[in-house]
Amino acid sequence: MEHKIRAIRADEWEKVRDLRLAALQDPAAPLAFLETYEQAMDRSDDFWRERASNGAEGVWVKQFIAETADGCWDGTVTVLVERPQDEARFGEPATVEQTHLVAVFVRPEVRGTGLADELFRTAVSWSWSLEDPRVERVRLYVHEDNNRAKAFYRRIGFVPSGAKSPVPGDTSAMEVEYELPRGAELSI
């Protein structure tokens, strides 16, 4: 099945919401997301409209999706721009101009097809294309027990940075930071 990888549009807030709800119903959701299905269901339409508007704008946030020819969204990744002067959104504050990949999801029926590779290629390419700020690294956090995700990140070229952060709401668990420094190549 062919997919087009593209940025979302602001008026697609219902599809943004529906894909997020699908992601939160995935069996790996407790390890992959800091939000539950119930919490997301309680969010207002205005919340989803704002989220889509911000993700479409592409100044400090950019959301990419994988879309089939018939309009089905099968995957997503969101890129957050982080600067040293910004407050940390999660984990350690930025020490360099960087982007942070979050909300990664690919529907189970299309996993293993290279779709995640394409989403990451697009997200990282967008990160490197920024001129102000000029991004020095791309990072992400992954739950220490999410072995499937950790294997994927390593396979495509991300490496553990050594930084860890307690999982919000569960300080017995840790999120591990992975990074791709500028000049490093994705292995896809």
Side-chain angles (χ1 to χ4, degrees), residues 118-154:
E118 292 301 314
L119 284 163
F120 267 72
R121 185 178 291 117
T122 301
V124 169
S125 177
W126 184 80
S127 296
W128 296 150
S129 75
L130 296 174
E131 294 181 14
D132 185 25
R134 183 178 187 272
V135 170
E136 294 301 320
R137 74 179 191 139
V138 178
R139 75 170 178 171
L140 55 87
Y141 276 87
V142 60
H143 191 286
E144 64 188 344
D145 294 333
N146 194 341
N147 294 322
R148 182 184 76 207
K150 290 191 304 188
F152 169 72
Y153 300 140
R154 282 191 185 107

PDB file of all heavy atoms in Angstrom, residues 118-154:
ATOM      1  N   GLU A 118       9.858   6.054   6.680  1.00  0.00           N
ATOM      2  CA  GLU A 118       9.496   7.222   5.881  1.00  0.00           C
ATOM      3  C   GLU A 118       9.077   8.403   6.751  1.00  0.00           C
ATOM      4  O   GLU A 118       9.440   9.548   6.477  1.00  0.00           O
ATOM      5  CB  GLU A 118       8.389   6.871   4.884  1.00  0.00           C
ATOM      6  CG  GLU A 118       8.838   5.921   3.793  1.00  0.00           C
ATOM      7  CD  GLU A 118       9.994   6.469   2.981  1.00  0.00           C
ATOM      8  OE1 GLU A 118       9.947   7.651   2.581  1.00  0.00           O
ATOM      9  OE2 GLU A 118      10.958   5.729   2.744  1.00  0.00           O
ATOM     10  N   LEU A 119       8.309   8.128   7.788  1.00  0.00           N
ATOM     11  CA  LEU A 119       7.912   9.196   8.711  1.00  0.00           C
ATOM     12  C   LEU A 119       9.137   9.824   9.358  1.00  0.00           C
ATOM     13  O   LEU A 119       9.252  11.053   9.448  1.00  0.00           O
ATOM     14  CB  LEU A 119       6.951   8.665   9.771  1.00  0.00           C
ATOM     15  CG  LEU A 119       5.518   8.419   9.306  1.00  0.00           C
ATOM     16  CD1 LEU A 119       4.774   7.520  10.290  1.00  0.00           C
ATOM     17  CD2 LEU A 119       4.781   9.742   9.127  1.00  0.00           C
ATOM     18  N   PHE A 120      10.072   8.993   9.809  1.00  0.00           N
ATOM     19  CA  PHE A 120      11.272   9.520  10.459  1.00  0.00           C
ATOM     20  C   PHE A 120      12.159  10.254   9.468  1.00  0.00           C
ATOM     21  O   PHE A 120      12.740  11.284   9.802  1.00  0.00           O
ATOM     22  CB  PHE A 120      12.040   8.403  11.178  1.00  0.00           C
ATOM     23  CG  PHE A 120      11.639   8.278  12.612  1.00  0.00           C
ATOM     24  CD1 PHE A 120      10.403   7.763  12.958  1.00  0.00           C
ATOM     25  CD2 PHE A 120      12.476   8.711  13.627  1.00  0.00           C
ATOM     26  CE1 PHE A 120      10.007   7.660  14.277  1.00  0.00           C
ATOM     27  CE2 PHE A 120      12.090   8.624  14.955  1.00  0.00           C
ATOM     28  CZ  PHE A 120      10.855   8.097  15.278  1.00  0.00           C
ATOM     29  N   ARG A 121      12.273   9.740   8.258  1.00  0.00           N
ATOM     30  CA  ARG A 121      13.072  10.434   7.241  1.00  0.00           C
ATOM     31  C   ARG A 121      12.522  11.845   7.019  1.00  0.00           C
ATOM     32  O   ARG A 121      13.273  12.822   6.968  1.00  0.00           O
ATOM     33  CB  ARG A 121      13.074   9.644   5.934  1.00  0.00           C
ATOM     34  CG  ARG A 121      13.985  10.260   4.863  1.00  0.00           C
ATOM     35  CD  ARG A 121      14.032   9.441   3.581  1.00  0.00           C
ATOM     36  NE  ARG A 121      14.722   8.175   3.809  1.00  0.00           N
ATOM     37  CZ  ARG A 121      14.149   6.964   3.694  1.00  0.00           C
ATOM     38  NH1 ARG A 121      12.890   6.839   3.342  1.00  0.00           N
ATOM     39  NH2 ARG A 121      14.850   5.870   3.899  1.00  0.00           N
ATOM     40  N   THR A 122      11.214  11.970   6.947  1.00  0.00           N
ATOM     41  CA  THR A 122      10.586  13.269   6.741  1.00  0.00           C
ATOM     42  C   THR A 122      10.788  14.181   7.944  1.00  0.00           C
ATOM     43  O   THR A 122      11.139  15.361   7.788  1.00  0.00           O
ATOM     44  CB  THR A 122       9.088  13.090   6.440  1.00  0.00           C
ATOM     45  OG1 THR A 122       8.955  12.276   5.263  1.00  0.00           O
ATOM     46  CG2 THR A 122       8.394  14.418   6.239  1.00  0.00           C
ATOM     47  N   ALA A 123      10.577  13.663   9.153  1.00  0.00           N
ATOM     48  CA  ALA A 123      10.723  14.469  10.375  1.00  0.00           C
ATOM     49  C   ALA A 123      12.159  14.953  10.564  1.00  0.00           C
ATOM     50  O   ALA A 123      12.394  16.123  10.889  1.00  0.00           O
ATOM     51  CB  ALA A 123      10.272  13.666  11.590  1.00  0.00           C
ATOM     52  N   VAL A 124      13.117  14.076  10.332  1.00  0.00           N
ATOM     53  CA  VAL A 124      14.525  14.462  10.493  1.00  0.00           C
ATOM     54  C   VAL A 124      14.938  15.432   9.390  1.00  0.00           C
ATOM     55  O   VAL A 124      15.622  16.427   9.647  1.00  0.00           O
ATOM     56  CB  VAL A 124      15.430  13.211  10.546  1.00  0.00           C
ATOM     57  CG1 VAL A 124      16.902  13.584  10.445  1.00  0.00           C
ATOM     58  CG2 VAL A 124      15.163  12.418  11.835  1.00  0.00           C
ATOM     59  N   SER A 125      14.495  15.183   8.168  1.00  0.00           N
ATOM     60  CA  SER A 125      14.804  16.092   7.063  1.00  0.00           C
ATOM     61  C   SER A 125      14.251  17.487   7.342  1.00  0.00           C
ATOM     62  O   SER A 125      14.935  18.500   7.117  1.00  0.00           O
ATOM     63  CB  SER A 125      14.230  15.538   5.761  1.00  0.00           C
ATOM     64  OG  SER A 125      14.461  16.423   4.707  1.00  0.00           O
ATOM     65  N   TRP A 126      13.023  17.560   7.831  1.00  0.00           N
ATOM     66  CA  TRP A 126      12.440  18.859   8.187  1.00  0.00           C
ATOM     67  C   TRP A 126      13.281  19.528   9.276  1.00  0.00           C
ATOM     68  O   TRP A 126      13.553  20.723   9.203  1.00  0.00           O
ATOM     69  CB  TRP A 126      10.991  18.687   8.634  1.00  0.00           C
ATOM     70  CG  TRP A 126      10.308  19.984   8.932  1.00  0.00           C
ATOM     71  CD1 TRP A 126       9.759  20.856   8.030  1.00  0.00           C
ATOM     72  CD2 TRP A 126      10.116  20.586  10.216  1.00  0.00           C
ATOM     73  NE1 TRP A 126       9.235  21.954   8.679  1.00  0.00           N
ATOM     74  CE2 TRP A 126       9.434  21.805  10.028  1.00  0.00           C
ATOM     75  CE3 TRP A 126      10.443  20.206  11.519  1.00  0.00           C
ATOM     76  CZ2 TRP A 126       9.094  22.650  11.074  1.00  0.00           C
ATOM     77  CZ3 TRP A 126      10.093  21.039  12.578  1.00  0.00           C
ATOM     78  CH2 TRP A 126       9.426  22.255  12.351  1.00  0.00           C
ATOM     79  N   SER A 127      13.708  18.761  10.266  1.00  0.00           N
ATOM     80  CA  SER A 127      14.531  19.311  11.345  1.00  0.00           C
ATOM     81  C   SER A 127      15.813  19.929  10.801  1.00  0.00           C
ATOM     82  O   SER A 127      16.185  21.042  11.168  1.00  0.00           O
ATOM     83  CB  SER A 127      14.891  18.206  12.354  1.00  0.00           C
ATOM     84  OG  SER A 127      13.744  17.700  12.991  1.00  0.00           O
ATOM     85  N   TRP A 128      16.498  19.205   9.914  1.00  0.00           N
ATOM     86  CA  TRP A 128      17.764  19.713   9.364  1.00  0.00           C
ATOM     87  C   TRP A 128      17.535  20.902   8.428  1.00  0.00           C
ATOM     88  O   TRP A 128      18.439  21.703   8.217  1.00  0.00           O
ATOM     89  CB  TRP A 128      18.518  18.625   8.617  1.00  0.00           C
ATOM     90  CG  TRP A 128      19.006  17.448   9.406  1.00  0.00           C
ATOM     91  CD1 TRP A 128      19.161  16.177   8.919  1.00  0.00           C
ATOM     92  CD2 TRP A 128      19.431  17.374  10.774  1.00  0.00           C
ATOM     93  NE1 TRP A 128      19.631  15.343   9.903  1.00  0.00           N
ATOM     94  CE2 TRP A 128      19.815  16.053  11.053  1.00  0.00           C
ATOM     95  CE3 TRP A 128      19.524  18.310  11.808  1.00  0.00           C
ATOM     96  CZ2 TRP A 128      20.283  15.631  12.299  1.00  0.00           C
ATOM     97  CZ3 TRP A 128      19.976  17.892  13.065  1.00  0.00           C
ATOM     98  CH2 TRP A 128      20.356  16.583  13.295  1.00  0.00           C
ATOM     99  N   SER A 129      16.335  21.029   7.882  1.00  0.00           N
ATOM    100  CA  SER A 129      16.066  22.133   6.948  1.00  0.00           C
ATOM    101  C   SER A 129      15.849  23.462   7.658  1.00  0.00           C
ATOM    102  O   SER A 129      15.892  24.515   7.002  1.00  0.00           O
ATOM    103  CB  SER A 129      14.836  21.813   6.087  1.00  0.00           C
ATOM    104  OG  SER A 129      13.636  21.970   6.843  1.00  0.00           O
ATOM    105  N   LEU A 130      15.611  23.446   8.952  1.00  0.00           N
ATOM    106  CA  LEU A 130      15.366  24.695   9.682  1.00  0.00           C
ATOM    107  C   LEU A 130      16.628  25.557   9.679  1.00  0.00           C
ATOM    108  O   LEU A 130      17.729  25.060   9.885  1.00  0.00           O
ATOM    109  CB  LEU A 130      14.940  24.394  11.124  1.00  0.00           C
ATOM    110  CG  LEU A 130      13.621  23.655  11.287  1.00  0.00           C
ATOM    111  CD1 LEU A 130      13.392  23.283  12.740  1.00  0.00           C
ATOM    112  CD2 LEU A 130      12.465  24.493  10.764  1.00  0.00           C
ATOM    113  N   GLU A 131      16.428  26.834   9.459  1.00  0.00           N
ATOM    114  CA  GLU A 131      17.562  27.763   9.466  1.00  0.00           C
ATOM    115  C   GLU A 131      17.585  28.624  10.720  1.00  0.00           C
ATOM    116  O   GLU A 131      18.648  29.054  11.155  1.00  0.00           O
ATOM    117  CB  GLU A 131      17.527  28.630   8.210  1.00  0.00           C
ATOM    118  CG  GLU A 131      17.769  27.804   6.949  1.00  0.00           C
ATOM    119  CD  GLU A 131      17.751  28.660   5.700  1.00  0.00           C
ATOM    120  OE1 GLU A 131      17.818  29.901   5.795  1.00  0.00           O
ATOM    121  OE2 GLU A 131      17.676  28.070   4.611  1.00  0.00           O
ATOM    122  N   ASP A 132      16.424  28.912  11.281  1.00  0.00           N
ATOM    123  CA  ASP A 132      16.358  29.711  12.505  1.00  0.00           C
ATOM    124  C   ASP A 132      15.298  29.127  13.418  1.00  0.00           C
ATOM    125  O   ASP A 132      14.113  29.447  13.262  1.00  0.00           O
ATOM    126  CB  ASP A 132      16.033  31.173  12.183  1.00  0.00           C
ATOM    127  CG  ASP A 132      16.074  32.043  13.440  1.00  0.00           C
ATOM    128  OD1 ASP A 132      16.779  31.681  14.407  1.00  0.00           O
ATOM    129  OD2 ASP A 132      15.382  33.079  13.454  1.00  0.00           O
ATOM    130  N   PRO A 133      15.710  28.224  14.290  1.00  0.00           N
ATOM    131  CA  PRO A 133      17.084  27.908  14.653  1.00  0.00           C
ATOM    132  C   PRO A 133      17.690  26.837  13.746  1.00  0.00           C
ATOM    133  O   PRO A 133      16.977  26.039  13.152  1.00  0.00           O
ATOM    134  CB  PRO A 133      16.948  27.363  16.074  1.00  0.00           C
ATOM    135  CG  PRO A 133      15.636  26.669  16.072  1.00  0.00           C
ATOM    136  CD  PRO A 133      14.751  27.503  15.172  1.00  0.00           C
ATOM    137  N   ARG A 134      19.013  26.824  13.693  1.00  0.00           N
ATOM    138  CA  ARG A 134      19.742  25.756  13.000  1.00  0.00           C
ATOM    139  C   ARG A 134      19.874  24.605  14.000  1.00  0.00           C
ATOM    140  O   ARG A 134      20.575  24.721  15.002  1.00  0.00           O
ATOM    141  CB  ARG A 134      21.116  26.225  12.546  1.00  0.00           C
ATOM    142  CG  ARG A 134      21.862  25.152  11.772  1.00  0.00           C
ATOM    143  CD  ARG A 134      23.209  25.674  11.286  1.00  0.00           C
ATOM    144  NE  ARG A 134      23.861  24.734  10.413  1.00  0.00           N
ATOM    145  CZ  ARG A 134      24.662  23.756  10.825  1.00  0.00           C
ATOM    146  NH1 ARG A 134      24.909  23.590  12.122  1.00  0.00           N
ATOM    147  NH2 ARG A 134      25.228  22.937   9.967  1.00  0.00           N
ATOM    148  N   VAL A 135      19.192  23.536  13.733  1.00  0.00           N
ATOM    149  CA  VAL A 135      19.118  22.401  14.650  1.00  0.00           C
ATOM    150  C   VAL A 135      20.443  21.642  14.669  1.00  0.00           C
ATOM    151  O   VAL A 135      21.002  21.327  13.619  1.00  0.00           O
ATOM    152  CB  VAL A 135      17.947  21.481  14.232  1.00  0.00           C
ATOM    153  CG1 VAL A 135      17.965  20.174  14.997  1.00  0.00           C
ATOM    154  CG2 VAL A 135      16.633  22.210  14.401  1.00  0.00           C
ATOM    155  N   GLU A 136      20.913  21.359  15.888  1.00  0.00           N
ATOM    156  CA  GLU A 136      22.168  20.624  16.065  1.00  0.00           C
ATOM    157  C   GLU A 136      21.964  19.142  16.360  1.00  0.00           C
ATOM    158  O   GLU A 136      22.890  18.357  16.208  1.00  0.00           O
ATOM    159  CB  GLU A 136      22.996  21.249  17.197  1.00  0.00           C
ATOM    160  CG  GLU A 136      23.487  22.642  16.868  1.00  0.00           C
ATOM    161  CD  GLU A 136      24.354  22.683  15.619  1.00  0.00           C
ATOM    162  OE1 GLU A 136      25.176  21.764  15.411  1.00  0.00           O
ATOM    163  OE2 GLU A 136      24.188  23.636  14.828  1.00  0.00           O
ATOM    164  N   ARG A 137      20.752  18.790  16.806  1.00  0.00           N
ATOM    165  CA  ARG A 137      20.462  17.378  17.035  1.00  0.00           C
ATOM    166  C   ARG A 137      18.959  17.169  17.076  1.00  0.00           C
ATOM    167  O   ARG A 137      18.182  18.092  17.312  1.00  0.00           O
ATOM    168  CB  ARG A 137      21.100  16.867  18.328  1.00  0.00           C
ATOM    169  CG  ARG A 137      20.422  17.332  19.583  1.00  0.00           C
ATOM    170  CD  ARG A 137      21.097  16.762  20.839  1.00  0.00           C
ATOM    171  NE  ARG A 137      20.265  17.031  21.993  1.00  0.00           N
ATOM    172  CZ  ARG A 137      20.031  16.192  22.968  1.00  0.00           C
ATOM    173  NH1 ARG A 137      20.581  15.000  22.960  1.00  0.00           N
ATOM    174  NH2 ARG A 137      19.256  16.515  23.980  1.00  0.00           N
ATOM    175  N   VAL A 138      18.574  15.937  16.804  1.00  0.00           N
ATOM    176  CA  VAL A 138      17.194  15.501  16.929  1.00  0.00           C
ATOM    177  C   VAL A 138      17.170  14.505  18.077  1.00  0.00           C
ATOM    178  O   VAL A 138      18.024  13.629  18.150  1.00  0.00           O
ATOM    179  CB  VAL A 138      16.687  14.834  15.633  1.00  0.00           C
ATOM    180  CG1 VAL A 138      15.255  14.346  15.793  1.00  0.00           C
ATOM    181  CG2 VAL A 138      16.824  15.790  14.451  1.00  0.00           C
ATOM    182  N   ARG A 139      16.196  14.656  18.988  1.00  0.00           N
ATOM    183  CA  ARG A 139      16.130  13.731  20.109  1.00  0.00           C
ATOM    184  C   ARG A 139      14.724  13.166  20.257  1.00  0.00           C
ATOM    185  O   ARG A 139      13.768  13.668  19.682  1.00  0.00           O
ATOM    186  CB  ARG A 139      16.557  14.407  21.411  1.00  0.00           C
ATOM    187  CG  ARG A 139      15.521  15.347  22.000  1.00  0.00           C
ATOM    188  CD  ARG A 139      15.927  15.763  23.393  1.00  0.00           C
ATOM    189  NE  ARG A 139      14.964  16.699  23.973  1.00  0.00           N
ATOM    190  CZ  ARG A 139      15.005  17.066  25.234  1.00  0.00           C
ATOM    191  NH1 ARG A 139      15.944  16.605  26.036  1.00  0.00           N
ATOM    192  NH2 ARG A 139      14.111  17.911  25.712  1.00  0.00           N
ATOM    193  N   LEU A 140      14.636  12.137  21.053  1.00  0.00           N
ATOM    194  CA  LEU A 140      13.361  11.551  21.437  1.00  0.00           C
ATOM    195  C   LEU A 140      13.582  10.818  22.745  1.00  0.00           C
ATOM    196  O   LEU A 140      14.717  10.534  23.130  1.00  0.00           O
ATOM    197  CB  LEU A 140      12.824  10.614  20.353  1.00  0.00           C
ATOM    198  CG  LEU A 140      13.736   9.479  19.892  1.00  0.00           C
ATOM    199  CD1 LEU A 140      13.582   8.248  20.782  1.00  0.00           C
ATOM    200  CD2 LEU A 140      13.423   9.129  18.459  1.00  0.00           C
ATOM    201  N   TYR A 141      12.496  10.545  23.431  1.00  0.00           N
ATOM    202  CA  TYR A 141      12.544   9.749  24.647  1.00  0.00           C
ATOM    203  C   TYR A 141      11.737   8.487  24.422  1.00  0.00           C
ATOM    204  O   TYR A 141      10.706   8.505  23.741  1.00  0.00           O
ATOM    205  CB  TYR A 141      11.973  10.521  25.842  1.00  0.00           C
ATOM    206  CG  TYR A 141      12.971  11.437  26.489  1.00  0.00           C
ATOM    207  CD1 TYR A 141      13.154  12.727  26.030  1.00  0.00           C
ATOM    208  CD2 TYR A 141      13.741  11.004  27.557  1.00  0.00           C
ATOM    209  CE1 TYR A 141      14.074  13.579  26.615  1.00  0.00           C
ATOM    210  CE2 TYR A 141      14.670  11.848  28.158  1.00  0.00           C
ATOM    211  CZ  TYR A 141      14.828  13.126  27.683  1.00  0.00           C
ATOM    212  OH  TYR A 141      15.755  13.958  28.279  1.00  0.00           O
ATOM    213  N   VAL A 142      12.206   7.397  25.002  1.00  0.00           N
ATOM    214  CA  VAL A 142      11.525   6.113  24.895  1.00  0.00           C
ATOM    215  C   VAL A 142      11.534   5.447  26.271  1.00  0.00           C
ATOM    216  O   VAL A 142      12.530   5.512  26.995  1.00  0.00           O
ATOM    217  CB  VAL A 142      12.181   5.227  23.821  1.00  0.00           C
ATOM    218  CG1 VAL A 142      13.632   4.935  24.130  1.00  0.00           C
ATOM    219  CG2 VAL A 142      11.408   3.938  23.610  1.00  0.00           C
ATOM    220  N   HIS A 143      10.420   4.859  26.642  1.00  0.00           N
ATOM    221  CA  HIS A 143      10.298   4.149  27.917  1.00  0.00           C
ATOM    222  C   HIS A 143      11.343   3.037  27.951  1.00  0.00           C
ATOM    223  O   HIS A 143      11.539   2.324  26.967  1.00  0.00           O
ATOM    224  CB  HIS A 143       8.886   3.570  28.058  1.00  0.00           C
ATOM    225  CG  HIS A 143       8.572   3.054  29.423  1.00  0.00           C
ATOM    226  ND1 HIS A 143       9.092   1.868  29.902  1.00  0.00           N
ATOM    227  CD2 HIS A 143       7.803   3.563  30.417  1.00  0.00           C
ATOM    228  CE1 HIS A 143       8.639   1.655  31.126  1.00  0.00           C
ATOM    229  NE2 HIS A 143       7.856   2.684  31.465  1.00  0.00           N
ATOM    230  N   GLU A 144      11.999   2.892  29.085  1.00  0.00           N
ATOM    231  CA  GLU A 144      13.071   1.903  29.219  1.00  0.00           C
ATOM    232  C   GLU A 144      12.625   0.484  28.891  1.00  0.00           C
ATOM    233  O   GLU A 144      13.443  -0.349  28.497  1.00  0.00           O
ATOM    234  CB  GLU A 144      13.664   1.955  30.630  1.00  0.00           C
ATOM    235  CG  GLU A 144      12.688   1.571  31.724  1.00  0.00           C
ATOM    236  CD  GLU A 144      13.222   1.804  33.129  1.00  0.00           C
ATOM    237  OE1 GLU A 144      14.437   1.975  33.304  1.00  0.00           O
ATOM    238  OE2 GLU A 144      12.391   1.826  34.062  1.00  0.00           O
ATOM    239  N   ASP A 145      11.342   0.177  29.015  1.00  0.00           N
ATOM    240  CA  ASP A 145      10.835  -1.170  28.738  1.00  0.00           C
ATOM    241  C   ASP A 145      10.237  -1.316  27.344  1.00  0.00           C
ATOM    242  O   ASP A 145       9.727  -2.393  27.000  1.00  0.00           O
ATOM    243  CB  ASP A 145       9.772  -1.557  29.772  1.00  0.00           C
ATOM    244  CG  ASP A 145      10.352  -1.681  31.173  1.00  0.00           C
ATOM    245  OD1 ASP A 145      11.562  -1.973  31.310  1.00  0.00           O
ATOM    246  OD2 ASP A 145       9.586  -1.469  32.139  1.00  0.00           O
ATOM    247  N   ASN A 146      10.278  -0.280  26.528  1.00  0.00           N
ATOM    248  CA  ASN A 146       9.704  -0.334  25.187  1.00  0.00           C
ATOM    249  C   ASN A 146      10.774  -0.831  24.207  1.00  0.00           C
ATOM    250  O   ASN A 146      11.345  -0.078  23.425  1.00  0.00           O
ATOM    251  CB  ASN A 146       9.163   1.037  24.773  1.00  0.00           C
ATOM    252  CG  ASN A 146       8.271   0.961  23.557  1.00  0.00           C
ATOM    253  OD1 ASN A 146       8.304  -0.011  22.800  1.00  0.00           O
ATOM    254  ND2 ASN A 146       7.478   2.005  23.357  1.00  0.00           N
ATOM    255  N   ASN A 147      11.020  -2.132  24.268  1.00  0.00           N
ATOM    256  CA  ASN A 147      12.114  -2.716  23.483  1.00  0.00           C
ATOM    257  C   ASN A 147      11.886  -2.641  21.978  1.00  0.00           C
ATOM    258  O   ASN A 147      12.843  -2.474  21.226  1.00  0.00           O
ATOM    259  CB  ASN A 147      12.357  -4.158  23.929  1.00  0.00           C
ATOM    260  CG  ASN A 147      12.881  -4.207  25.347  1.00  0.00           C
ATOM    261  OD1 ASN A 147      13.682  -3.365  25.754  1.00  0.00           O
ATOM    262  ND2 ASN A 147      12.413  -5.176  26.127  1.00  0.00           N
ATOM    263  N   ARG A 148      10.635  -2.751  21.535  1.00  0.00           N
ATOM    264  CA  ARG A 148      10.356  -2.654  20.093  1.00  0.00           C
ATOM    265  C   ARG A 148      10.778  -1.289  19.567  1.00  0.00           C
ATOM    266  O   ARG A 148      11.455  -1.170  18.550  1.00  0.00           O
ATOM    267  CB  ARG A 148       8.876  -2.917  19.825  1.00  0.00           C
ATOM    268  CG  ARG A 148       8.537  -2.883  18.335  1.00  0.00           C
ATOM    269  CD  ARG A 148       7.052  -3.046  18.071  1.00  0.00           C
ATOM    270  NE  ARG A 148       6.410  -1.778  18.379  1.00  0.00           N
ATOM    271  CZ  ARG A 148       5.151  -1.656  18.753  1.00  0.00           C
ATOM    272  NH1 ARG A 148       4.390  -2.705  18.890  1.00  0.00           N
ATOM    273  NH2 ARG A 148       4.636  -0.467  18.990  1.00  0.00           N
ATOM    274  N   ALA A 149      10.382  -0.229  20.290  1.00  0.00           N
ATOM    275  CA  ALA A 149      10.736   1.122  19.852  1.00  0.00           C
ATOM    276  C   ALA A 149      12.241   1.349  19.931  1.00  0.00           C
ATOM    277  O   ALA A 149      12.829   1.927  19.014  1.00  0.00           O
ATOM    278  CB  ALA A 149       9.986   2.156  20.685  1.00  0.00           C
ATOM    279  N   LYS A 150      12.866   0.907  21.014  1.00  0.00           N
ATOM    280  CA  LYS A 150      14.319   1.096  21.151  1.00  0.00           C
ATOM    281  C   LYS A 150      15.063   0.416  20.008  1.00  0.00           C
ATOM    282  O   LYS A 150      16.011   0.985  19.454  1.00  0.00           O
ATOM    283  CB  LYS A 150      14.812   0.582  22.505  1.00  0.00           C
ATOM    284  CG  LYS A 150      14.361   1.437  23.667  1.00  0.00           C
ATOM    285  CD  LYS A 150      15.037   1.105  24.977  1.00  0.00           C
ATOM    286  CE  LYS A 150      14.911  -0.317  25.401  1.00  0.00           C
ATOM    287  NZ  LYS A 150      15.414  -0.584  26.756  1.00  0.00           N
ATOM    288  N   ALA A 151      14.648  -0.786  19.625  1.00  0.00           N
ATOM    289  CA  ALA A 151      15.295  -1.492  18.510  1.00  0.00           C
ATOM    290  C   ALA A 151      15.123  -0.717  17.208  1.00  0.00           C
ATOM    291  O   ALA A 151      16.070  -0.594  16.409  1.00  0.00           O
ATOM    292  CB  ALA A 151      14.719  -2.898  18.384  1.00  0.00           C
ATOM    293  N   PHE A 152      13.942  -0.165  16.971  1.00  0.00           N
ATOM    294  CA  PHE A 152      13.711   0.629  15.766  1.00  0.00           C
ATOM    295  C   PHE A 152      14.611   1.862  15.750  1.00  0.00           C
ATOM    296  O   PHE A 152      15.267   2.146  14.744  1.00  0.00           O
ATOM    297  CB  PHE A 152      12.234   1.037  15.667  1.00  0.00           C
ATOM    298  CG  PHE A 152      11.975   2.070  14.602  1.00  0.00           C
ATOM    299  CD1 PHE A 152      12.040   1.730  13.263  1.00  0.00           C
ATOM    300  CD2 PHE A 152      11.701   3.391  14.938  1.00  0.00           C
ATOM    301  CE1 PHE A 152      11.819   2.680  12.272  1.00  0.00           C
ATOM    302  CE2 PHE A 152      11.479   4.339  13.962  1.00  0.00           C
ATOM    303  CZ  PHE A 152      11.537   3.988  12.627  1.00  0.00           C
ATOM    304  N   TYR A 153      14.659   2.601  16.849  1.00  0.00           N
ATOM    305  CA  TYR A 153      15.459   3.823  16.897  1.00  0.00           C
ATOM    306  C   TYR A 153      16.935   3.525  16.656  1.00  0.00           C
ATOM    307  O   TYR A 153      17.617   4.251  15.931  1.00  0.00           O
ATOM    308  CB  TYR A 153      15.260   4.567  18.215  1.00  0.00           C
ATOM    309  CG  TYR A 153      13.827   4.977  18.468  1.00  0.00           C
ATOM    310  CD1 TYR A 153      13.261   4.895  19.731  1.00  0.00           C
ATOM    311  CD2 TYR A 153      13.004   5.427  17.431  1.00  0.00           C
ATOM    312  CE1 TYR A 153      11.939   5.259  19.963  1.00  0.00           C
ATOM    313  CE2 TYR A 153      11.688   5.787  17.647  1.00  0.00           C
ATOM    314  CZ  TYR A 153      11.156   5.711  18.914  1.00  0.00           C
ATOM    315  OH  TYR A 153       9.856   6.064  19.130  1.00  0.00           O
ATOM    316  N   ARG A 154      17.433   2.460  17.250  1.00  0.00           N
ATOM    317  CA  ARG A 154      18.839   2.084  17.020  1.00  0.00           C
ATOM    318  C   ARG A 154      19.066   1.701  15.558  1.00  0.00           C
ATOM    319  O   ARG A 154      20.072   2.077  14.965  1.00  0.00           O
ATOM    320  CB  ARG A 154      19.231   0.920  17.937  1.00  0.00           C
ATOM    321  CG  ARG A 154      19.518   1.323  19.345  1.00  0.00           C
ATOM    322  CD  ARG A 154      20.166   0.148  20.106  1.00  0.00           C
ATOM    323  NE  ARG A 154      20.341   0.483  21.490  1.00  0.00           N
ATOM    324  CZ  ARG A 154      19.607  -0.018  22.491  1.00  0.00           C
ATOM    325  NH1 ARG A 154      18.664  -0.905  22.253  1.00  0.00           N
ATOM    326  NH2 ARG A 154      19.831   0.356  23.723  1.00  0.00           N
TER     327      ARG A 154
END
